[in-house]
Amino acid sequence: MPLADAIREALGSQLTIRRMFEDGIALKKQHGADNVFDFSIGNPDVPPPPEFYKVLQKLVWEEEKGVHGYMPNAGFTAVREAVAKKVSAEQGVALDGSHLVMSCGAAGGLNVVLKAILNPGDEVIVPKPYFVEYRPYVANFGGRLIEVESSADFDLDSRAIKAALSPKTKAVIINSPHNPTGRVYSATSLAALAEVLDAHGRTHGHAPYLIADEPYREIVYDGLEVPPVLSAYSQSIVVNSYSKNLSLPGERIGYIAVSPAIDSRQELVNAFIYTTRILGFVNAPALMQRVVAELSSAQTDVEVYARRRALFTAILDEAGINYARPEGAFFLFCQVPNGAGAAVSSDYAFTEHLRNNLILGVPGSLFAMPGWVRFAYCVDEKIIAASRTAFVKAVADWKQAG
């Protein structure tokens, strides 16, 4: 039977990152793992904190009746209360378990939120560049993704967002710390955005939701803190996961938290509970819910990522590649050097050139930013260090060919 048109189109473009990841596996088999420099996918290699294993071992051996069965679709009540305490401290608002729904990671949470709020034709604004899967997530529920420019240094441009707002705008999605740039949006930028969204709401009778996608919240550098969103704007929703801060991406555990000031809060939370069920998630994984509830103060060693950032940027400096210095997360977003085919669409050509030198990155076009390439540095430091010669040679050859 024929595939759906949207899926057929996606198979030709949206799967590029995963395809590169699989390509990396094949190249490692061919050339040896130490000779392939795979920076294609944000798959954390830093181990979970020691507390994770202790809690996991304790809970695995518990034989209390019902601990592996169904629970309310929103998650275990005690878990929601425990997570709410942590989120309250982060977001500067008073939350309890009724403000949260446990989710199957941030990706599952975003789909739950969008399913609950979007009617066909509703618009969702997102600053460029943006995580590649936002577009299909919005399209899943008949919405339209509206791209807006960011500032030159990848900060929020509230004027651009204001210009893109329309009566059909249902939400704005922001991601901080940001994938792919590593930018952390400041409290000043969030306040300016809140002012724009509030004004739009007064004009049109309904303020857009602000959806904050925050899986990298706890991976920040140089003493920086990620400003809270729930206290910055009344109609805000935070979606988060434990994939990055606890290095548990395969366990698919996260949460949705809503501002206590949000309109019709209980109705909205009930909608998230319902969409969790009908999207087939049913509930977040039972065992992992109980695990993360006991790990409110645990996180992976961020200093490992800081060292890798320093090592990688030194290599890029030597090779002659310009980049946006990341304030958080574990990505380097780099400009394609002038050289062969140096037009704005050259990111595909440059990533193919790098692949020929056994370096794997992701074209910026997939993030709606042609002329750029993303490298993920959640890989062993010895791989980053060993890539130096390959980067210097690849860029020199690229420039000479141009």
Side-chain angles (χ1 to χ4, degrees), residues 80-161:
R80 294 167 73 192
E81 291 293 341
V83 175
K85 290 180 180 179
K86 180 177 189 294
V87 180
S88 295
E90 291 175 348
Q91 296 291 335
V93 293
L95 303 179
D96 59 37
S98 70
H99 297 88
L100 273 84
V101 174
M102 301 304 294
S103 67
C104 294
L110 287 169
N111 276 275
V112 163
V113 170
L114 294 169
K115 174 67 173 176
I117 67 173
L118 292 182
N119 290 310
D122 282 348
E123 296 174 351
V124 178
I125 293 173
V126 63
K128 294 168 36 178
Y130 56 86
F131 177 52
V132 61
E133 292 188 351
Y134 288 163
R135 180 171 293 279
Y137 290 172
V138 170
N140 281 345
F141 312 109
R144 293 183 59 234
L145 193 74
I146 306 298
E147 301 174 353
V148 300
E149 298 294 335
S150 297
S151 66
D153 59 355
F154 297 121
D155 199 359
L156 291 172
D157 186 337
S158 294
R159 288 178 297 180
I161 293 173

Side-chain angles (χ1 to χ4, degrees), residues 307-331:
R307 291 196 303 269
R308 293 172 178 181
R309 181 186 64 158
L311 178 59
F312 210 149
T313 54
I315 291 171
L316 296 176
D317 289 340
E318 181 179 347
I321 297 178
N322 296 323
Y323 51 84
R325 184 171 178 80
E327 299 170 318
F330 40 62
F331 303 105

Side-chain angles (χ1 to χ4, degrees), residues 20 346-356 359 361-363 373:
M20 286 182 170
S346 64
D347 48 316
Y348 282 104
F350 186 58
T351 52
E352 181 61 25
H353 175 74
L354 292 175
R355 183 193 179 282
N356 293 335
I359 301 169
V362 180
V373 177

Side-chain angles (χ1 to χ4, degrees), residues 10 15-16 19 39 48 78 104 134 195-196 208 226 233 258 269 290 334 351 356 366 371 393 397:
L15 299 182
T16 301
R19 200 172 290 134
F39 308 117
C104 294
Y134 288 163
E195 183 177 347
V196 165
V226 179
Y233 177 60
V258 302
V269 172
R290 295 161 59 223
C334 305
T351 52
N356 293 335
L366 294 181
K393 179 181 183 301
D397 290 347

Side-chain angles (χ1 to χ4, degrees), residues 221-252:
Y221 310 113
D222 305 322
L224 199 62
E225 293 186 2
V226 179
V229 173
L230 294 187
S231 58
Y233 177 60
S234 63
Q235 306 304 303
S236 55
I237 302 164
V238 165
V239 181
N240 207 334
S241 82
Y242 296 88
S243 295
K244 311 306 189 297
N245 71 310
L246 294 183
S247 285
L248 300 176
E251 302 298 348
R252 311 312 306 143

Side-chain angles (χ1 to χ4, degrees), residues 194-378:
E195 183 177 347
V196 165
L197 297 181
D198 278 330
H200 182 79
R202 290 192 295 271
T203 300
H204 294 278
H206 61 89
Y209 294 113
L210 177 60
I211 303 170
D213 180 23
E214 296 193 344
Y216 303 98
R217 162 171 275 277
E218 296 182 37
I219 302 177
V220 289
Y221 310 113
D222 305 322
L224 199 62
E225 293 186 2
V226 179
V229 173
L230 294 187
S231 58
Y233 177 60
S234 63
Q235 306 304 303
S236 55
I237 302 164
V238 165
V239 181
N240 207 334
S241 82
Y242 296 88
S243 295
K244 311 306 189 297
N245 71 310
L246 294 183
S247 285
L248 300 176
E251 302 298 348
R252 311 312 306 143
I253 181 69
Y255 60 83
I256 305 162
V258 302
S259 165
I262 206 163
D263 292 343
S264 304
R265 177 181 63 81
Q266 193 56 59
E267 182 181 33
L268 187 65
V269 172
N270 288 342
F272 295 160
I273 294 170
Y274 175 67
T275 53
T276 293
R277 184 168 76 248
I278 66 170
L279 286 174
F281 298 119
V282 182
N283 54 254
L287 177 59
M288 283 302 118
Q289 285 191 53
R290 295 161 59 223
V291 168
V292 300
E294 297 194 27
L295 296 175
S296 61
S297 61
Q299 70 174 85
T300 54
D301 185 0
V302 176
E303 285 306 309
V304 173
Y305 293 125
R307 291 196 303 269
R308 293 172 178 181
R309 181 186 64 158
L311 178 59
F312 210 149
T313 54
I315 291 171
L316 296 176
D317 289 340
E318 181 179 347
I321 297 178
N322 296 323
Y323 51 84
R325 184 171 178 80
E327 299 170 318
F330 40 62
F331 303 105
L332 275 158
F333 203 47
C334 305
Q335 285 184 295
V336 173
N338 291 331
V344 293
S345 61
S346 64
D347 48 316
Y348 282 104
F350 186 58
T351 52
E352 181 61 25
H353 175 74
L354 292 175
R355 183 193 179 282
N356 293 335
N357 288 269
L358 303 182
I359 301 169
L360 299 181
V362 180
S365 292
L366 294 181
F367 305 96
M369 202 73 181
W372 292 71
V373 177
R374 190 198 76 176
F375 301 112
Y377 54 87
C378 46

